[in-house]
Amino acid sequence: MIGRVAGLADLLKGDGSADRVVPPSGFTAHLTLFTAGAMAFLTVFALALSLAAGQLADRWESELARTATVRISAPEAQMATQTAAVLEVLRTTPGIAGARVLDAAEQAALLEPWFGPELPVDSLPIPRLVEVTETGAGYDGDGLRLRLAAEAPGAVLDDHTRWRRPLVRAADRMRLVGYLAIGLIAASTAAMITLAARAALAANARVIEVLRLVGAQDVYIARAFVRRFTRRALSGAAAGTVAGAVMMLLLPDMGGDSGFLAGLGFSGWGWAWLPAIPLLAAGVAFWATRAAALRVLGGLT
Amino acid sequence: MIGRVAGLADLLKGDGSADRVVPPSGFTAHLTLFTAGAMAFLTVFALALSLAAGQLADRWESELARTATVRISAPEAQMATQTAAVLEVLRTTPGIAGARVLDAAEQAALLEPWFGPELPVDSLPIPRLVEVTETGAGYDGDGLRLRLAAEAPGAVLDDHTRWRRPLVRAADRMRLVGYLAIGLIAASTAAMITLAARAALAANARVIEVLRLVGAQDVYIARAFVRRFTRRALSGAAAGTVAGAVMMLLLPDMGGDSGFLAGLGFSGWGWAWLPAIPLLAAGVAFWATRAAALRVLGGLT
Amino acid sequence: MIELDEAAYSYNSDDLLAGMTLQLAPGSFHFLTGPSGAGKTTFLKLCYMELMPTRGAVRVFGTDVRAMSRDAVALNRRRIGIVHQDCQFLDHLSVAENVALPLAVSGRDPSSEAGNIDELMAWVGLDGRRGARPPELSGGERQRAALARAVVLSPDVILADEPTGNIDWDMAQRLLRLLVELNRMGKTVLVATHDLNLIRAAKAQVAARVLRIRDRRLQSAGADL
Amino acid sequence: MIELDEAAYSYNSDDLLAGMTLQLAPGSFHFLTGPSGAGKTTFLKLCYMELMPTRGAVRVFGTDVRAMSRDAVALNRRRIGIVHQDCQFLDHLSVAENVALPLAVSGRDPSSEAGNIDELMAWVGLDGRRGARPPELSGGERQRAALARAVVLSPDVILADEPTGNIDWDMAQRLLRLLVELNRMGKTVLVATHDLNLIRAAKAQVAARVLRIRDRRLQSAGADL
Ligand SMILES: Nc1ncnc2c1ncn2[C@@H]1O[C@H](COP(=O)(O)OP(=O)(O)OP(=O)(O)O)[C@@H](O)[C@H]1O
Ligand SMILES: Nc1ncnc2c1ncn2[C@@H]1O[C@H](COP(=O)(O)OP(=O)(O)OP(=O)(O)O)[C@@H](O)[C@H]1O
Ligand SMILES: [Mg+2]
Ligand SMILES: [Mg+2]
């Protein structure tokens, strides 16, 4: 492994003589540089999308877990039994992590936005609220409703998750799309660099012929191409990544303060992914070109 | 315009003789096909993202417009004056489209989830609620609070938009990112096809020389290249678009029923954009190759 | 057909060719000789409009080459058959297709003239190699194919650059006879060659004028030939 | 140095060359002649391992070519100087760099041998064209540059394919003298040519053996030369 890394470093330094013998090949060079750059740029976007969507999904998911309540409206006398029945039902329902009866202060806090702080909660015939925490897998809402109706007629499941769940799903989906896009971009980059390398090799068939004629070994010829494409992919992708990162920083940072959607930018560890992009591109270029070069050379006399 | 379209159609039919004289150029061919395909595929994704984010933003935006309330807690005697004062303040606040006092039934409906349907709203000292509809531009929340504190001491602005606005912003941002990605992809495609065309022209410098030697005119030579690249871009992009569309259809259609986030798929008019992708790609390839070919040919004797 | 009027050419600052005056009359036969590097190929390139004179004028079919558009150059080249010193071919086409290339390029249908092509290939002794690719030909076969391609459009003028450089004496004489035959059909022929034996052999068959490039100038070769 | 033992070669189904037996002894001088298309270039390609015999054996420096790896072929080629009929060069390098190419390719530093290169360029009469690109050379200049490149690594064997095809008689004789000089230095030389005058001129200077390809076979040329 260390040898391989050293080999790569060696590659990037270059070898004046071997590099001169393969012509500069202007357009495949530009093409490779540009492809690597554009792909890296798009990767930054896709990565940001995935990471942001992932964070969003996680945050929403965790908020979701606390947004179902069971409301028990019953005559004072039955309140205690029905509450106990509800808690028992909830305890035995798969997908429910916990249930907790809200105390008077909490109930008052919930009502505050509507009635102001002075509402006499104790003196009102208000229902009792049970906060339900679900597990990641979630529970079967309709089944729970049926059971509650049977066990505690005054209990109503108020599933606030219903309208938030699609949000979580959407965020999850965004993340999926982002990863899919990254995979696609990586595959396209590999394919395009392979094809560009093969185009360069094909365009230089005569050069290769001359080099073989004067006694050049395959590795000598292959190395000139591999070195070139690896370096181009590395620098192109580095430029693209930097451009993408700058773009991300320049995007107006909206919604930041609410903390609810920290935004599409990278936060914390997200940035750590960026240097991987050019390195991956260089690795892809290295192997793709090497394979292409040795294959083309193997077919010659 | 019609002439131009006819010219394009003519191009795609091909001309056996002129097409044979330029060698098949395997790798640039694959490269162009693949690039066009991959780029079209990514465009489908970006387009879906943009359209879905746009719909989401619009829907959330319209829901936002109805989610601020002013709550007036005041002794029975002052209730009418303070309500009038609040309405007056709201009427003269820029960014507020309308304000409406909720009647008892509506207030009961709002409270129902918490207290059940039997809550005696009339007998409770509950505050009066004023629903505020804002204009698209929105209002200055802090300024309004100050004015309300001065005019109606019992009035509290309850801005429910606060936690939803970031969502709208996020959706808007997604849409922006999507359009940006489409722009980037289109620009990259143009650049890559131009470079591929130039690479092909450079690789065929000798062919062009021979053709000039035997008396071929520039248009004859250029046409062979332009036709080839246009056709490749068209078919590559068509394949990529179809693949992208199939992929979109295969993505699990989640969150559909809630209607809140119809999902990332295309809906209705969204599909109409798809056929534009290969046509645009072909157009880009046509002009990019034409410019490259005539430029290269102009530089020869 | 082709006229040079005090034409000069220089690749860099120094003149390679200077003060060249010549008229290629219709139906004439010229040889161009001179040591390696004298400028024979350069002279031919002036005649077929690949190079423009740096001074003086070159007129092809009556038009000054400098006044010609790129398309006019292309059209005029169809009236000039060129045997290039490097015998340039399209390696992805067969030899027969390469010979027919000027037909395709000038918008004629090569398949309708397949008979002519076959005849032409036999004339240069390549009927057995019709389907081969140019890189599969021997050096001499390539030169013969280049001659066949040069005459396929029945040009008025034939310019041949070392057409016998890679072929043996028997074949060279056969090629010479082909050129003489074309000249008898009324075509103007200019052959650049360093092979003095070929020129001597030709003089027995045709009234050829021998030009020599010496000291950057065009001279008529003396009696030493 | 190079031995053929009943070697045969065919591009398609028919044998082009058959039953070729020959030993190129160190320090020998051979000419190879035969009509255009006889297989001279093909014969040389067998010698420098570009083609493998379809029957029989070819041994280069004692090793059967079929037993050689691609790398061994490359290394052995450095001991063989090849003047290709098409004079292949790298068009993006200068002539001097092309001549020095075998040095670069075999891992030696061309700049440290700049003096040798200069001498070599002068030897083939190209000192004035050192910085030119190959396409800027005349046909004859290219052939001389190809010879310079063939000898830059001081090879044991020199194989030249029509080295005088594009050059005038004076220059051809100079080139011949260069080859004779190399032979006197102990190098094995094999020249494929169709130029019988050249062979006659050589016989006055060196004990050359003349081989001829006739009817797909290698023959010693008779007294007619
Ligand atoms: N494109 C070019 N740029 C610079 N110099 C050139 C170019 N082409 C040719 N020359 C130089 O001009 C001189 C004449 O070249 P040209 O090819 O006309 O010679 P030639 O008479 O055909 O020789 P040969 O018999 O060897 O083919 C040579 O010295 C050559 O190096
Ligand atoms: N790659 C190939 N595939 C098929 N046939 C070939 C190939 N290369 C050469 N030939 C054929 O083999 C025959 C001999 O070719 P070669 O080049 O060896 O001849 P040569 O003796 O060098 O002729 P010249 O004097 O014209 O150069 C020719 O008829 C040629 O067409
Ligand atoms: Mg010349
Ligand atoms: Mg040969």
Side-chain angles (χ1 to χ4, degrees), chain D residues 190-220:
Chain D
L190 173 59
V191 180
T193 183
H194 58 78
D195 189 345
L196 303 187
N197 289 323
L198 188 77
I199 299 179
R200 279 184 208 112
K203 286 199 142 187
Q205 300 171 42
V206 73
R209 213 181 135 203
V210 181
L211 305 166
R212 173 182 286 158
I213 301 178
R214 180 173 284 172
D215 298 332
R216 310 181 298 140
R217 308 225 151 231
L218 211 55
Q219 307 178 329
S220 271

Tab-separated table of all heavy atoms in Angstrom, chain D residues 190-220:
chain	number	residue	atom	x	y	z
D	190	LEU	N	22.291	-4.864	-43.440
D	190	LEU	CA	21.413	-5.457	-44.453
D	190	LEU	C	20.602	-4.325	-45.070
D	190	LEU	O	19.883	-3.609	-44.364
D	190	LEU	CB	20.482	-6.500	-43.815
D	190	LEU	CG	19.384	-7.082	-44.715
D	190	LEU	CD1	19.970	-7.765	-45.948
D	190	LEU	CD2	18.528	-8.076	-43.950
D	191	VAL	N	20.731	-4.151	-46.386
D	191	VAL	CA	20.042	-3.060	-47.073
D	191	VAL	C	19.084	-3.640	-48.104
D	191	VAL	O	19.507	-4.394	-48.985
D	191	VAL	CB	21.057	-2.131	-47.791
D	191	VAL	CG1	20.321	-1.013	-48.505
D	191	VAL	CG2	22.073	-1.581	-46.807
D	192	ALA	N	17.802	-3.313	-47.957
D	192	ALA	CA	16.839	-3.698	-48.977
D	192	ALA	C	16.740	-2.549	-49.967
D	192	ALA	O	16.543	-1.403	-49.568
D	192	ALA	CB	15.475	-3.961	-48.337
D	193	THR	N	16.931	-2.848	-51.240
D	193	THR	CA	16.852	-1.767	-52.227
D	193	THR	C	16.474	-2.335	-53.589
D	193	THR	O	16.711	-3.508	-53.876
D	193	THR	CB	18.186	-1.014	-52.334
D	193	THR	OG1	18.031	0.073	-53.249
D	193	THR	CG2	19.307	-1.927	-52.822
D	194	HIS	N	15.878	-1.505	-54.391
D	194	HIS	CA	15.583	-1.924	-55.761
D	194	HIS	C	16.569	-1.257	-56.722
D	194	HIS	O	16.475	-1.390	-57.934
D	194	HIS	CB	14.154	-1.543	-56.139
D	194	HIS	CG	13.908	-0.084	-56.016
D	194	HIS	ND1	14.338	0.828	-56.962
D	194	HIS	CD2	13.320	0.643	-55.044
D	194	HIS	CE1	14.007	2.042	-56.582
D	194	HIS	NE2	13.395	1.969	-55.415
D	195	ASP	N	17.520	-0.519	-56.153
D	195	ASP	CA	18.400	0.291	-56.985
D	195	ASP	C	19.664	-0.503	-57.314
D	195	ASP	O	20.602	-0.595	-56.532
D	195	ASP	CB	18.752	1.576	-56.219
D	195	ASP	CG	19.478	2.584	-57.099
D	195	ASP	OD1	19.952	2.180	-58.190
D	195	ASP	OD2	19.558	3.744	-56.689
D	196	LEU	N	19.686	-1.088	-58.508
D	196	LEU	CA	20.802	-1.965	-58.871
D	196	LEU	C	22.093	-1.172	-59.039
D	196	LEU	O	23.182	-1.694	-58.775
D	196	LEU	CB	20.456	-2.738	-60.142
D	196	LEU	CG	19.170	-3.567	-60.044
D	196	LEU	CD1	19.005	-4.430	-61.288
D	196	LEU	CD2	19.191	-4.447	-58.792
D	197	ASN	N	21.969	0.102	-59.426
D	197	ASN	CA	23.176	0.917	-59.557
D	197	ASN	C	23.868	1.060	-58.221
D	197	ASN	O	25.096	1.050	-58.133
D	197	ASN	CB	22.817	2.308	-60.086
D	197	ASN	CG	22.398	2.240	-61.541
D	197	ASN	OD1	22.956	1.456	-62.304
D	197	ASN	ND2	21.414	3.037	-61.907
D	198	LEU	N	23.055	1.209	-57.182
D	198	LEU	CA	23.606	1.363	-55.843
D	198	LEU	C	24.384	0.105	-55.462
D	198	LEU	O	25.490	0.168	-54.924
D	198	LEU	CB	22.473	1.611	-54.841
D	198	LEU	CG	22.934	1.983	-53.439
D	198	LEU	CD1	23.394	3.428	-53.402
D	198	LEU	CD2	21.812	1.758	-52.434
D	199	ILE	N	23.790	-1.037	-55.779
D	199	ILE	CA	24.446	-2.305	-55.436
D	199	ILE	C	25.768	-2.418	-56.189
D	199	ILE	O	26.799	-2.789	-55.630
D	199	ILE	CB	23.519	-3.494	-55.758
D	199	ILE	CG1	22.228	-3.380	-54.924
D	199	ILE	CG2	24.220	-4.812	-55.487
D	199	ILE	CD1	21.230	-4.480	-55.181
D	200	ARG	N	25.740	-2.053	-57.448
D	200	ARG	CA	26.973	-2.122	-58.252
D	200	ARG	C	28.033	-1.216	-57.640
D	200	ARG	O	29.192	-1.602	-57.495
D	200	ARG	CB	26.680	-1.689	-59.685
D	200	ARG	CG	26.063	-2.822	-60.495
D	200	ARG	CD	25.856	-2.449	-61.952
D	200	ARG	NE	24.750	-3.207	-62.479
D	200	ARG	CZ	23.571	-2.699	-62.855
D	200	ARG	NH1	23.353	-1.386	-62.783
D	200	ARG	NH2	22.624	-3.482	-63.283
D	201	ALA	N	27.602	-0.001	-57.244
D	201	ALA	CA	28.569	0.931	-56.670
D	201	ALA	C	29.133	0.390	-55.365
D	201	ALA	O	30.320	0.543	-55.071
D	201	ALA	CB	27.898	2.291	-56.423
D	202	ALA	N	28.283	-0.297	-54.594
D	202	ALA	CA	28.716	-0.823	-53.305
D	202	ALA	C	29.752	-1.922	-53.488
D	202	ALA	O	30.725	-2.018	-52.728
D	202	ALA	CB	27.525	-1.345	-52.521
D	203	LYS	N	29.544	-2.754	-54.515
D	203	LYS	CA	30.424	-3.906	-54.701
D	203	LYS	C	31.884	-3.481	-54.889
D	203	LYS	O	32.795	-4.250	-54.614
D	203	LYS	CB	29.956	-4.733	-55.889
D	203	LYS	CG	28.691	-5.518	-55.557
D	203	LYS	CD	28.511	-6.654	-56.523
D	203	LYS	CE	27.977	-7.868	-55.799
D	203	LYS	NZ	27.930	-9.043	-56.666
D	204	ALA	N	32.066	-2.249	-55.357
D	204	ALA	CA	33.427	-1.750	-55.525
D	204	ALA	C	34.075	-1.438	-54.182
D	204	ALA	O	35.292	-1.384	-54.073
D	204	ALA	CB	33.416	-0.503	-56.398
D	205	GLN	N	33.237	-1.219	-53.175
D	205	GLN	CA	33.782	-0.766	-51.898
D	205	GLN	C	33.816	-1.835	-50.824
D	205	GLN	O	34.576	-1.746	-49.870
D	205	GLN	CB	32.933	0.406	-51.357
D	205	GLN	CG	32.885	1.608	-52.275
D	205	GLN	CD	31.874	2.621	-51.788
D	205	GLN	OE1	31.788	2.882	-50.601
D	205	GLN	NE2	31.115	3.191	-52.703
D	206	VAL	N	32.962	-2.818	-50.931
D	206	VAL	CA	32.812	-3.748	-49.824
D	206	VAL	C	32.432	-5.118	-50.367
D	206	VAL	O	31.864	-5.232	-51.453
D	206	VAL	CB	31.753	-3.207	-48.822
D	206	VAL	CG1	30.360	-3.337	-49.396
D	206	VAL	CG2	31.883	-3.889	-47.474
D	207	ALA	N	32.800	-6.171	-49.616
D	207	ALA	CA	32.444	-7.520	-50.045
D	207	ALA	C	30.997	-7.798	-49.682
D	207	ALA	O	30.706	-8.414	-48.666
D	207	ALA	CB	33.370	-8.536	-49.366
D	208	ALA	N	30.096	-7.296	-50.487
D	208	ALA	CA	28.676	-7.431	-50.165
D	208	ALA	C	28.094	-8.656	-50.841
D	208	ALA	O	28.448	-8.975	-51.983
D	208	ALA	CB	27.920	-6.185	-50.605
D	209	ARG	N	27.208	-9.311	-50.112
D	209	ARG	CA	26.497	-10.427	-50.717
D	209	ARG	C	25.131	-9.913	-51.137
D	209	ARG	O	24.494	-9.149	-50.395
D	209	ARG	CB	26.325	-11.514	-49.654
D	209	ARG	CG	26.352	-12.912	-50.230
D	209	ARG	CD	26.149	-13.941	-49.145
D	209	ARG	NE	25.188	-14.926	-49.604
D	209	ARG	CZ	24.464	-15.686	-48.801
D	209	ARG	NH1	24.577	-15.561	-47.494
D	209	ARG	NH2	23.635	-16.577	-49.308
D	210	VAL	N	24.686	-10.305	-52.315
D	210	VAL	CA	23.400	-9.802	-52.797
D	210	VAL	C	22.381	-10.932	-52.795
D	210	VAL	O	22.598	-11.982	-53.403
D	210	VAL	CB	23.525	-9.220	-54.221
D	210	VAL	CG1	22.168	-8.687	-54.677
D	210	VAL	CG2	24.568	-8.115	-54.247
D	211	LEU	N	21.297	-10.707	-52.069
D	211	LEU	CA	20.221	-11.693	-52.012
D	211	LEU	C	19.068	-11.169	-52.856
D	211	LEU	O	18.861	-9.960	-52.969
D	211	LEU	CB	19.736	-11.870	-50.575
D	211	LEU	CG	20.817	-12.228	-49.558
D	211	LEU	CD1	20.291	-12.032	-48.148
D	211	LEU	CD2	21.266	-13.664	-49.794
D	212	ARG	N	18.311	-12.095	-53.419
D	212	ARG	CA	17.175	-11.655	-54.220
D	212	ARG	C	15.976	-12.507	-53.835
D	212	ARG	O	16.105	-13.717	-53.634
D	212	ARG	CB	17.501	-11.843	-55.692
D	212	ARG	CG	16.316	-11.575	-56.601
D	212	ARG	CD	16.675	-11.828	-58.038
D	212	ARG	NE	17.514	-10.760	-58.556
D	212	ARG	CZ	18.310	-10.902	-59.616
D	212	ARG	NH1	18.396	-12.057	-60.234
D	212	ARG	NH2	19.031	-9.886	-60.039
D	213	ILE	N	14.831	-11.867	-53.708
D	213	ILE	CA	13.608	-12.638	-53.465
D	213	ILE	C	12.965	-12.904	-54.810
D	213	ILE	O	12.640	-11.980	-55.556
D	213	ILE	CB	12.620	-11.882	-52.564
D	213	ILE	CG1	13.275	-11.563	-51.205
D	213	ILE	CG2	11.355	-12.702	-52.345
D	213	ILE	CD1	12.395	-10.792	-50.273
D	214	ARG	N	12.854	-14.176	-55.141
D	214	ARG	CA	12.204	-14.533	-56.408
D	214	ARG	C	11.361	-15.771	-56.133
D	214	ARG	O	11.824	-16.708	-55.493
D	214	ARG	CB	13.259	-14.807	-57.483
D	214	ARG	CG	12.633	-15.191	-58.815
D	214	ARG	CD	13.662	-15.286	-59.917
D	214	ARG	NE	14.111	-13.981	-60.392
D	214	ARG	CZ	15.121	-13.813	-61.247
D	214	ARG	NH1	15.795	-14.846	-61.683
D	214	ARG	NH2	15.466	-12.604	-61.647
D	215	ASP	N	10.183	-15.780	-56.627
D	215	ASP	CA	9.268	-16.911	-56.410
D	215	ASP	C	9.185	-17.269	-54.929
D	215	ASP	O	9.309	-18.427	-54.554
D	215	ASP	CB	9.732	-18.145	-57.193
D	215	ASP	CG	9.725	-17.885	-58.677
D	215	ASP	OD1	8.893	-17.038	-59.099
D	215	ASP	OD2	10.539	-18.467	-59.397
D	216	ARG	N	9.006	-16.277	-54.113
D	216	ARG	CA	8.809	-16.440	-52.680
D	216	ARG	C	10.040	-16.977	-51.946
D	216	ARG	O	9.973	-17.243	-50.757
D	216	ARG	CB	7.593	-17.351	-52.383
D	216	ARG	CG	6.343	-16.927	-53.155
D	216	ARG	CD	5.183	-17.811	-52.828
D	216	ARG	NE	5.460	-19.176	-53.225
D	216	ARG	CZ	5.133	-20.241	-52.520
D	216	ARG	NH1	4.500	-20.099	-51.376
D	216	ARG	NH2	5.406	-21.445	-52.943
D	217	ARG	N	11.167	-17.132	-52.645
D	217	ARG	CA	12.339	-17.736	-52.012
D	217	ARG	C	13.511	-16.750	-52.042
D	217	ARG	O	13.563	-15.864	-52.886
D	217	ARG	CB	12.774	-19.006	-52.761
D	217	ARG	CG	11.671	-19.984	-52.956
D	217	ARG	CD	12.152	-21.379	-52.614
D	217	ARG	NE	11.019	-22.157	-52.142
D	217	ARG	CZ	11.021	-22.852	-51.010
D	217	ARG	NH1	12.089	-22.878	-50.232
D	217	ARG	NH2	9.967	-23.532	-50.643
D	218	LEU	N	14.422	-16.985	-51.148
D	218	LEU	CA	15.633	-16.188	-51.099
D	218	LEU	C	16.698	-16.848	-51.981
D	218	LEU	O	16.988	-18.027	-51.833
D	218	LEU	CB	16.128	-16.163	-49.650
D	218	LEU	CG	16.866	-14.942	-49.138
D	218	LEU	CD1	16.031	-13.687	-49.353
D	218	LEU	CD2	17.126	-15.136	-47.646
D	219	GLN	N	17.273	-16.061	-52.931
D	219	GLN	CA	18.320	-16.616	-53.778
D	219	GLN	C	19.545	-15.718	-53.682
D	219	GLN	O	19.430	-14.533	-53.414
D	219	GLN	CB	17.885	-16.619	-55.249
D	219	GLN	CG	16.573	-17.285	-55.518
D	219	GLN	CD	16.224	-17.188	-56.992
D	219	GLN	OE1	16.611	-16.220	-57.640
D	219	GLN	NE2	15.518	-18.183	-57.487
D	220	SER	N	20.697	-16.298	-53.987
D	220	SER	CA	21.855	-15.439	-54.156
D	220	SER	C	21.784	-14.890	-55.571
D	220	SER	O	21.520	-15.628	-56.521
D	220	SER	CB	23.151	-16.231	-53.998
D	220	SER	OG	23.549	-16.234	-52.659
